[in-house]
Structures are given as structure tokens and as C-alpha cells.
Amino acid sequence: MTSIAADDDQLPLQTHTDGTLDGHSVGEGAAYVQMLRRRFPPRPAATSWVQTTWSREEILDLLASPTFRTSNRITQRARLLGARRLLDWLAIHPGNTWQQRWLASGQHDLSGGDWARLPSDWLAAQGDDGAANLGVLASGMRMLVCAEVIRPAAAWVITRRSSHLTAGMAQYRDPAGFAALDRLITADPAISRDNANLAKSRVAFILATKGGRISDVTVGDCVELYDTNPGAQRVKRYGRTLYYTLLHRMGVFSADAPSTLDELFCGRRRGQLSVRELVDRHNLQCAPIPDLLVDYLTERRPAIDYATLTNHAHMLAGLFWGDLERHHPGIASLHLPSEVTTAWKTRLRTGMPEAGDPATGTEKSIGRHKVARVLLAVRAFYLDIAQWALEEPARWGPWAAPCPIKAVEARAKKEQQATKARMDQRTRERLPVLPILQRTAAERWKSMAARLEAACNTPPGQTFEFGGDVFRRPLPGAAKQHAMVWAEHATTGLRRNLTLEDRDAFWAWAAIEVLSRTGIRIEELLELSHQAITSYRLPSTGELVPLLQIVPSKTDAERLLLVDPELADVLSTIICRIRKPGGTVPLVPAYDSYELTWTPPMGLLFQRNVAGQNRAFTAAGIREAIKQTLEATGLTDTAGDPLHFTPHDFRRIFVTDAIINGLPPHIAQVICGHKKIDTTMGYKATYPTEAIETHRAFIARRRAARPSEEYRTPTDNEWDSFLAQFEKRKVSVGTCGRAFNTPCIHEHACVRCSLLRPAPAQRHRLLEIRHNLEARIIEAKREGWLGEVEGLQVSLTGAKNKISQLDQTLARRATSVELGMP
């Protein structure tokens, strides 16, 4: 049994080796599939419709009509001959329609690759000399399917693998529908020809098996096809689900249909289990206790999230009562003898068999820092029942029992201190090297982007040089066209996907920048959307202050973060990356790995296009991107091993760095969204507890000593004076950044002042000042005013510095766009 971390304050979710994933067994997965089929049922398999009831002559006349006729007379003759032979063969089977005769022929029990054996054998027995010509039979079969005379099963069509079925459906069944599908594919350059052909073939399969046109396809039809094709689940190829995404974009499905097929079938993403299922997966034997646990967890369910519910069910039903049943068969009461509880606590601390698997004999300790959590959960279970028994004696009174866990046993102060010391050491190791990681991520992305651009400017079959290496653009295959840009190393012959390398490097850079500049959690990063970028206009100056909205996550509290210019550039670059050619941000659903639910489609910032489908990033994808960048840095820890960064390390570094540089801890608490300031101080890895408490006491004494009038509400005149101070900061060439109620130390010589922030629109004025100073210096040297030359030189240097600073800002903004209001 391996662990997958779910939350800082919870036990990890369990992944068992007996076929369960995130607590979902194979049987539960099958039940989930059945639930999906009930919600999105496929169209029923009919045995009678208009075309299948026609006579043999009417069908042959239809195939000879202009609708199905081809200009090649040989091909047309072969089609009619093959259809005639197949109809003759089907006519010997019982049924009132051709579909009923097809079902009675036994073709449903055969593979599509072996379909021609039965009609060929019959034709040969009738003395038909052309029976061996399988191409004629295949041509006739294709026309009968396209004309909707028969509808083969999905498994038959998939295993048939006809290379002409898609073209036949597009030409004879639904030309308008396939034309609209082609236009949708052409408008998306991320869809390669291979994936497009695969998607259209899946649509053709559905039309062949269910009939009708593309507009008649339902979600259930797509689910049935995906479930029928085992290769779609085994092979990690996103193009196999592209057909569903394209049909959804065309507006074929209803408004409540999921936007991607992943929401219906996606490995471990099975959705939430009920409380009963969470308890029953531990196979408890004593009937009253599982019912009690279900009632208890159901009572607590409204106040906790799903991840906490899952962990509590695991601790109570698995680690507590499940272990007691394995070692004390027949136990059925919460009144536990002292020797029973003592033995259980010993097993909990030293190692116990895997919960929910009585057959295993292996023992594995769950860790001392998690033992206290289990003990605390069991203690809360007993105390809650005792409290509820006073309020509802009929329901909870029979289960009230003395708590076997003392308060002192549930404390984990020593373990918490050890965890704090370990996290502080991680932060101390990673804080100094964060600039190296940021610089490497930026340089790596720029290098990958430049190489990709060089490859795009090189015709296929030609070579180009980059970074001292020579690469060759491969020639595209006759039947293949990739949306990715590939290149071969001229010396080693190694093929490299330059598009994928550029994409991975970009998102690694974006994740590192946003995490390090905001200190947000990984789940908050994944939920950032285009609408999260907002602004606030100051009432006095009218200046726009950009803000970043962080949606409620762990603490269910919304907060707004101030966006500095560097972070604004990062967000702007991300938006430019994900925008469609029309300027809109794609809407994609995201999977919440904690609540096991799908969010509605949103304009998420962290999304990428895979095989023509826009997909939200996962936490694992972000971690892998950071890992690749760390490998490029070559950084190591104190033991000499490669340095490892987690997304949460950036949060601890952010808090530590902010407080070191003077940010008050209570402001850091608000920025991080912590409920208690102790949590924020626990993230900071520099000051010892004594220094913090001494500083707090010092502040308290200073506040007590200062006159109380300093804490009064300011008057209107004082507030107007405060706002006027900021209005006085505006000067001809930009804005002055000096503090409130402080005089100008340079006597308004702004070009010399480091606090001047030049405005881009005033660059021409700075150029005029520079030219004027140069002319005055020449005049002063000519007239011999040496005392004035020195002062003019200082002003000239300041003007040049301001122009250089302004040029750097404009160069940085040239690669981004103004965010504006969403």
C-alpha cells in the first residue's frame, strides 16, 4: 500500500495493491459505469427502420441512384455486385428486415476482420466464381452500411478497421455534418491529421452502428463506443477521445453534457463515494458498528470536505475498528477492555496489517506523526457520541461509552516540533537557491522558444544551427501530418519534439513564477482563471491597482492579492499563450482531486492543448514541470542528492522571505489566507519562538505607552491631506515614490532621484532633458564654468539612468499585452 498526500493536515489517501484506486475497487468502477449509462443512455439498438424494410430491388435501385453512384464504372459495378451477393446471402436467414436477418446470420459473434468468411463460404457452395473476391464483398458491405440497410455492432465495426468507411459516411450519409466537422478541425492548428482522421473514424463508427446523422449522436453513443473499444482505455493517446470533444464543440450534445469524455471515463477519477461505500470497503463484520460509523460520519459530513471524510472513514473503520475485528473476532461493543485498547495502541505505534485486507501478513508503521491523528479521531468519535447522547438519547445513548483515549495521548507536540524543524531546514536550503531556479526556468524557456522558432523558419528537409548544434527538419510522411514541430540532431540522429519541449519549459517557468510571487497553494494555482484578474481604481487619483482573486480552497476564504509589475507580466504572458486566434480564452473543466468532482468549464490560466483538446493542468503535471527545471539547474542538497522542490515549498519560502524583509506577520497571514497567525509563523523558518514573543511584548508595551489619540479615527481634513500627498507625487516625467509626509531630499531635482518612477508616455521629455543637459555641459566647458559642469554631469547621469530604466520596462512589456478588465 502506497500513500498519496491529500492535505497537510490529513492522513494520506490510500492506494491499495488489490486493484483499488483512491478507495475505488473494480466493482465500484463497474457500478459507476452503470450509473453513467443510466444518466446518458445510448440510443437503443433497433431492428427495424425504413431502409432495412425495403425489398432487394429497392435497395439496389437506391445504390444505383445518383446519390450513391460513383463516376468510376468499374467501382460502381463492383459495389452493386457485392451488395447483390450479400443480400442474396442474408435472404437465406430468418427475419422480416435485413437487420433481423443480419443478426440471425451470426455476424454479431464474429470479429469484423473475419466477417467475410460466412458469405464467402455460402457463395462458394452456390458455385459463385466471384466468391473469393473479398474486395467486391467489402465494397458491397460498405455501401449497405452507408445506405443504412444494416447496422453492425460497435465491436464489429471497430475490429473491421475499414479504411473507406469514414469517406463513405462523409460522402453518402451526412456530407453537411462531416463538412462542419472538417471546418472545426481546420480552425484548430493543434489538431494533427492523424488525430483528426482518428476522430472522424470514431464518428463514422457511431453512425454505422446507431444510424442517423452527426446531429443525432448522443453522449450515450460516445460512452458506449469508448467502453466497447478496449484500446481506448489501455493506450494513453488523447486523440482517441477527440471525437467527443469535437462533437461537443459543434453543439451536438445538450447543455448539461460533460465537455470532455474524461469526465465520464478517466482512470481513477470515479467521483465521490457515499458514506456507506467508504465504510463498506473495509469489510467490517459486526453489523451494528458499520451502521454506527455510517451514521456518525453522515452527521459530520456537512462540516467537512470529502478528503477529510475519506480520511476519517479510513481511520475509524480501517485503522481502528477493522484492526480490532481482525485481532478480536466477534467484538461488537464500544466498551473496550483496557487490555484490548492497550494492544491496539501498541500495534498502531509499532506497525499493523494493511487496513481492509485481512489476508496480508505484512506490517507497516503508519508513522509516529500520524498516530496522534488516529488517536485524536477515535477520541473525537467517543466524545461526540457522548455529547450527542445527551441531545438525542434514543439514537446515540446506547452507544455512549468511556473514551479509551486520554487527552494526553492525542497530543503530538514532539512530532509537530520535529516536523517544524524538518520543514524549516527545507526552507533554509531552498530560499537561497530560489533565484537560481527562477533564472534557469526563464533561460530554459527562452532557449526552447528560440529553437522552436528557428525550426519553424526552416523548411522540412533542411538543416538549421542552434546553440552550436545542427538540427534537421524531417520530411512529413505522405499520410501523416503532425501539429508538433520535430527536429533530428544531425550527429546523433535523435528526434526531438520541439513543440513539446517549448510547452513544458514555458509552463514550468509560469508555475515557478506564480508560486514564488504569490505564495498560493497548488490547488489555488490550478483554479486561477482569467476572471480572477481584476482591478481597483483609487478614488482620488483614478489609478488602477491590479488584483488577483484567489477563490476559496482549504480554508473556504476568498482573498485578493496585489499584483506587482513582474507578476502582471507573467499573467499577461500566460493569457497570450492560451488565447485562441480570436482572442478568447478557452473554457475547460478541471478535476478536483480532493473533492473528486469536476468543476464547470472555466477560463483557467493553467491549461494546455493536447491533441486538439484543451485540458486543465493537474498537480502532478506542475510537479513534473518543476522537477524538469530543477534537473537543469544541477542543484543539490546538503547530502549531495538532487534538490527537490514541492509546490508547497514556494509557499513557505514566500512567507519566510516576506517576514524577513519587514512584512508584519498579521499581513502575511491575510495574504496567505491562514485562519490563525500561528500557522503563518509556523511557515516562517528564521526567527526562534523567543524572538517572536519578545517582539510581540515590545510592541504591546509601546502601544500601551503611546498616547491614545494616535489610535483615533482621522478627521476629514487629515484624510484629505493624506490623499493630497499622493496627488503631489505626480511630476512632469512620472511619479515620485517618496513616503507620506516627507519632504523632497533632492529639492525637486527629479532626474537625480532614485524614487522617481518615469512614465512611458514622457520618454520624449526625458530625451529633451538629456539633450538640454548635454548642450549646457558643452556651454559650461566652453565658458569655463567648471563648478556648474560637475552638477550638470550628475543630472545627465540621472537622466540617462531614467531613460535606460524606462527602455527596459518597455522591452519587457513588448512581449505581453495589457490585461485590462476581464
Side-chain angles (χ1 to χ4, degrees):
M1 182 172 66
T2 57
S3 298
I4 300 176
D7 199 280
D8 287 346
D9 300 330
Q10 297 168 342
L11 282 178
L13 297 176
Q14 304 298 332
T15 303
H16 299 273
T17 58
D18 59 354
T20 61
L21 288 170
D22 284 353
H24 300 272
S25 65
V26 177
E28 293 164 354
Y32 180 74
V33 171
Q34 295 304 321
M35 183 274 291
L36 286 178
R37 290 186 180 277
R38 289 192 296 269
R39 182 181 177 189
F40 300 103
R43 287 179 286 171
T47 59
S48 179
W49 56 90
V50 176
Q51 294 91 325
T52 195
T53 61
W54 288 354
S55 65
R56 178 177 181 274
E57 289 70 20
E58 289 175 325
I59 294 174
L60 294 176
D61 290 342
L62 174 64
L63 298 181
S65 66
T67 304
F68 288 88
R69 185 183 305 160
T70 179
S71 58
N72 191 315
R73 289 183 296 175
I74 298 177
T75 303
Q76 180 67 15
R77 189 183 307 113
R79 289 178 176 179
L80 294 176
L81 179 60
R84 188 180 298 110
R85 288 173 173 173
L86 288 174
L87 292 176
D88 291 341
W89 170 68
L90 289 174
I92 68 174
H93 298 92
N96 298 324
T97 66
W98 295 107
Q99 180 68 12
Q100 293 174 356
R101 300 182 185 110
W102 170 265
L103 297 176
S105 67
Q107 282 288 351
H108 264 50
D109 300 328
L110 296 179
S111 170
D114 193 35
W115 74 274
R117 179 172 55 83
L118 293 180
S120 297
D121 293 345
W122 181 83
L123 291 172
Q126 302 301 315
D128 191 333
D129 296 337
N133 191 345
L134 299 182
V136 172
L137 292 179
S139 181
M141 172 59 71
R142 184 170 63 255
M143 297 310 298
L144 292 178
V145 173
C146 291
E148 211 170 342
V149 177
I150 58 176
R151 296 175 182 173
W156 188 95
V157 176
I158 292 173
T159 55
R160 174 71 183 90
R161 299 185 181 277
S162 173
S163 59
H164 302 287
L165 179 62
T166 305
M169 288 292 177
Q171 183 176 0
Y172 305 120
R173 177 72 68 86
D174 190 7
F178 276 92
L181 191 62
D182 286 332
R183 289 194 296 269
L184 193 64
I185 292 173
T186 304
D188 193 341
I191 302 178
S192 66
R193 182 182 301 174
D194 288 345
N195 289 330
N197 292 337
L198 186 62
K200 291 193 293 184
S201 69
R202 294 295 186 268
V203 176
F205 289 170
I206 296 176
L207 299 188
T209 58
K210 295 297 182 179
R213 293 176 171 80
I214 292 180
S215 58
D216 301 321
V217 177
T218 66
V219 175
D221 296 340
C222 297
V223 173
E224 185 180 58
L225 177 66
Y226 186 86
D227 189 45
T228 302
N229 183 11
Q233 291 92 326
R234 289 197 305 264
V235 182
K236 293 182 179 179
R237 185 177 180 185
Y238 293 111
R240 294 186 182 273
T241 62
L242 180 60
Y243 69 97
Y244 181 93
T245 304
L246 294 176
L247 292 177
H248 192 279
R249 292 181 188 175
M250 291 177 63
V252 174
F253 304 138
S254 59
D256 62 337
S259 58
T260 64
L261 200 60
D262 288 346
E263 299 180 50
L264 302 172
F265 294 98
C266 195
R268 300 181 338 184
R269 301 176 181 181
R270 301 292 191 183
Q272 292 186 359
L273 295 179
S274 65
V275 176
R276 171 64 65 179
E277 291 171 326
L278 291 174
V279 174
D280 287 348
R281 66 183 180 179
H282 294 283
N283 301 320
L284 301 183
Q285 302 301 318
C286 180
I289 299 300
D291 295 338
L292 173 65
L293 293 176
V294 170
D295 291 343
Y296 172 76
L297 293 173
T298 303
E299 194 76 14
R300 293 202 58 190
R301 178 68 180 95
I304 57 179
D305 56 22
Y306 182 75
T308 304
L309 175 69
T310 303
N311 283 307
H312 273 69
H314 172 64
M315 289 186 289
L316 295 177
L319 298 179
F320 175 55
W321 198 258
D323 179 76
L324 291 179
E325 285 192 351
R326 286 192 297 273
H327 292 83
H328 306 278
I331 188 171
S333 174
L334 294 182
H335 289 267
L336 302 179
S338 59
E339 61 273 12
V340 173
T341 57
T342 301
W344 172 72
K345 295 173 188 176
T346 302
R347 292 192 301 271
L348 183 66
R349 292 187 177 95
T350 60
M352 59 187 351
E354 300 287 0
D357 187 8
T360 180
T362 59
E363 294 187 353
K364 181 179 179 181
S365 175
I366 65 173
R368 291 185 60 188
H369 64 288
K370 299 174 185 176
V371 169
R373 299 181 187 179
V374 179
L375 296 175
L376 185 61
V378 175
R379 176 176 170 82
F381 170 64
Y382 273 86
L383 297 183
D384 286 342
I385 290 180
Q387 177 65 33
W388 298 345
L390 299 176
E391 302 171 358
E392 298 181 68
R395 181 183 181 186
W396 302 104
W399 296 106
C403 180
I405 311 298
K406 298 179 180 179
V408 67
E409 294 178 303
R411 296 175 182 173
K413 183 177 181 181
K414 184 179 296 185
E415 288 74 15
Q416 292 173 355
Q417 291 175 345
T419 301
K420 175 68 166 63
R422 187 172 63 253
M423 292 299 102
D424 287 353
Q425 181 61 24
R426 285 182 62 92
T427 303
R428 294 189 190 100
E429 287 182 352
R430 286 154 181 78
L431 178 58
V433 300
L434 179 60
I436 300 177
L437 178 60
Q438 292 175 311
R439 183 171 62 253
T440 302
E443 293 174 352
R444 183 167 173 262
W445 168 48
K446 291 179 181 179
S447 175
M448 298 295 183
R451 184 169 55 191
L452 176 61
E453 182 180 3
C456 293
N457 296 331
T458 303
Q462 302 296 321
T463 60
F464 66 94
E465 184 177 355
F466 183 84
D469 295 328
V470 179
F471 297 90
R472 180 183 298 104
R473 285 289 307 277
L475 293 172
K480 295 184 178 181
Q481 178 184 358
H482 296 282
M484 303 290 184
V485 177
W486 292 77
E488 296 177 352
H489 196 280
T491 305
T492 63
L494 179 65
R495 289 173 60 90
R496 304 179 66 167
N497 189 334
L498 303 187
T499 303
L500 186 60
E501 291 180 357
D502 169 72
R503 186 188 70 184
D504 292 345
F506 171 81
W507 289 113
W509 167 81
I512 291 172
E513 287 293 323
V514 175
L515 288 173
S516 60
R517 295 186 183 278
T518 60
I520 59 178
R521 304 178 180 93
I522 179 63
E523 59 268 26
E524 295 169 342
L525 174 81
L526 299 177
E527 294 175 357
L528 286 179
S529 67
H530 183 220
Q531 289 76 18
I533 304 173
T534 183
S535 61
Y536 171 72
R537 187 180 297 275
L538 295 177
S540 58
T541 63
E543 181 182 357
L544 282 177
V545 179
L547 300 172
L548 184 65
Q549 179 191 23
I550 307 300
V551 298
S553 60
K554 183 176 178 180
T555 57
D556 292 332
E558 179 194 40
R559 62 188 192 276
L560 293 172
L561 303 182
L562 185 65
V563 177
D564 59 16
E566 290 76 13
L567 179 59
D569 288 342
V570 175
L571 298 176
S572 175
T573 307
I574 293 175
I575 293 178
C576 292
R577 181 87 176 195
I578 64 177
R579 272 178 174 167
K580 293 181 178 179
T584 59
V585 175
L587 303 180
V588 296
Y591 181 74
D592 190 333
S593 59
Y594 297 104
E595 292 295 324
L596 303 187
T597 56
W598 286 88
T599 64
M602 299 183 296
L604 299 177
L605 296 184
F606 281 82
Q607 59 171 285
R608 53 184 172 180
N609 192 289
V610 181
Q613 303 177 73
N614 292 98
R615 297 174 177 270
F617 266 89
T618 63
I622 297 296
R623 293 188 181 97
E624 180 62 25
I626 297 175
K627 177 183 176 182
Q628 293 179 1
T629 306
L630 274 171
E631 292 175 352
T633 62
L635 295 172
T636 58
D637 57 16
T638 54
D641 298 325
L643 192 64
H644 176 64
F645 261 82
T646 66
H648 216 70
D649 286 328
F650 293 97
R651 183 171 173 83
R652 297 180 181 277
I653 292 174
F654 176 84
V655 174
T656 300
D657 184 64
I659 296 180
I660 287 177
N661 287 279
L663 185 69
H666 65 282
I667 301 298
Q669 174 193 356
V670 175
I671 294 176
C672 293
H674 290 146
K675 289 184 177 180
K676 299 179 180 179
I677 196 172
D678 293 339
T679 306
T680 306
M681 301 308 295
Y683 275 39
K684 189 182 67 63
T686 302
Y687 296 141
T689 306
E690 294 80 6
I692 297 172
E693 297 301 329
T694 302
H695 181 261
R696 287 180 174 177
F698 169 74
I699 295 296
R701 291 194 302 270
R702 287 292 302 272
R703 287 178 176 175
R706 296 181 70 86
S708 59
E709 57 268 15
E710 292 189 6
Y711 296 97
R712 59 179 173 79
T713 302
T715 63
D716 293 339
N717 292 334
E718 290 173 337
W719 183 251
D720 293 340
S721 176
F722 176 76
L723 295 179
Q725 171 67 24
F726 295 96
E727 294 177 354
K728 292 179 181 179
R729 293 181 179 182
K730 292 185 175 295
V731 295
S732 61
V733 291
T735 303
C736 179
R738 70 180 186 272
F740 170 69
N741 204 23
T742 58
C744 179
I745 61 176
H746 293 290
E747 298 180 356
H748 302 286
C750 295
V751 293
R752 299 185 179 186
C753 184
S754 60
L755 298 178
L756 172 67
R757 192 162 186 173
Q762 303 300 327
R763 188 177 185 277
H764 67 284
R765 190 180 298 276
L766 288 172
L767 295 176
E768 293 177 359
I769 293 175
R770 186 187 66 182
H771 296 328
N772 181 265
L773 289 172
E774 291 174 344
R776 292 180 60 189
I777 290 174
I778 294 174
E779 179 185 8
K781 289 181 178 179
R782 183 178 63 249
E783 299 295 335
W785 303 331
L786 300 182
E788 188 171 353
V789 171
E790 184 177 354
L792 293 174
Q793 287 285 7
V794 175
S795 298
L796 178 61
T797 302
K800 290 182 179 179
N801 291 337
K802 297 304 177 186
I803 295 174
S804 176
Q805 176 185 349
L806 191 59
D807 290 341
Q808 292 177 2
T809 303
L810 294 175
R812 185 174 65 246
R813 294 181 180 179
T815 58
S816 59
V817 298
E818 179 66 26
L819 295 178
M821 292 294 291

